[in-house]
């Protein structure tokens, strides 16, 4: 079992970046025409992600989060991985691909810790 003590300030920044990426994607999705039920679902998740994002900005420690908020952070990391996979295209150069892969691996490592 991995410990939350392994999560450092750089990891918190990765979580914040993942949450921000997921929130940005939700904002884009909300600009499109979506069914009212889907819109409400997106707004619900966006609100949860925003609360966790703001809480971590105010107190950049994983221990600042309640258990359900840790789950939300893991969800944001997972959403960020999905976005990365969707946007990994052949027109990226090797350095961009390497940076994306590093970010993706960091997100997955953090999910493993948070789920542990």
């Amino acid at each position: 079992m991995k410990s939350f003590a392994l999560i450092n300030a750089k990891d918190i920044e990765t979580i914040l970046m993942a949450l921000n990426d997921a929130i940005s994607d939700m904002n884009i999705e909300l600009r499109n025409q979506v069914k009212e039920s889907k819109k409400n679902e997106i707004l619900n998740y966006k609100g949860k992600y925003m609360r966790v994002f703001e809480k971590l900005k105010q107190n950049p420690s994983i221990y600042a989060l309640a258990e359900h908020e840790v789950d939300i952070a893991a969800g944001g990391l997972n959403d960020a991985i999905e976005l990365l996979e969707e946007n990994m295209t052949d027109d990226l150069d090797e350095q961009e691909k390497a940076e994306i892969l590093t970010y993706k691996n960091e997100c997955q490592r953090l999910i493993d810790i948070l789920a542990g």
Side-chain angles (χ1 to χ4, degrees):
M1 182 174 152
K2 297 182 181 177
S3 168
F4 283 176
L6 297 173
I7 297 176
N8 60 35
K10 180 181 176 284
D11 295 331
I12 295 297
E13 285 300 316
T14 299
I15 294 169
L16 288 168
M17 190 164 59
L19 288 168
N20 188 57
D21 291 347
I23 291 165
S24 295
D25 185 59
M26 289 176 193
N27 286 335
I28 292 168
E29 196 170 346
L30 287 169
R31 286 188 206 119
N32 299 326
Q33 286 191 341
V34 292
K35 292 181 183 179
E36 193 66 26
S37 60
K38 180 70 172 172
K39 180 180 178 180
N40 289 335
E41 181 183 335
I42 294 168
L43 288 170
N44 182 39
Y45 274 102
K46 180 182 171 187
K48 290 176 182 180
Y49 284 7
M50 289 290 297
R51 283 188 290 279
V52 171
F53 180 87
E54 290 301 321
K55 201 167 189 180
L56 283 175
K57 285 291 278 185
Q58 291 176 1
N59 184 356
S61 169
I62 200 67
Y63 297 109
L65 302 179
E67 186 175 341
H68 74 280
E69 292 168 325
V70 171
D71 293 340
I72 292 167
L77 289 160
N78 192 55
D79 287 353
I81 288 172
E82 289 179 19
L83 286 169
L84 291 170
E85 290 172 349
E86 290 171 8
N87 293 303
M88 185 70 104
T89 59
D90 291 333
D91 62 339
L92 298 172
D93 65 36
E94 291 306 312
Q95 181 179 351
E96 290 170 321
K97 287 180 182 178
E99 289 171 0
I100 289 172
L101 186 58
T102 298
Y103 175 45
K104 180 182 172 187
N105 290 339
E106 283 300 305
C107 288
Q108 186 59 59
R109 182 182 67 79
L110 289 167
I111 289 171
D112 293 342
I113 293 170
L114 296 178

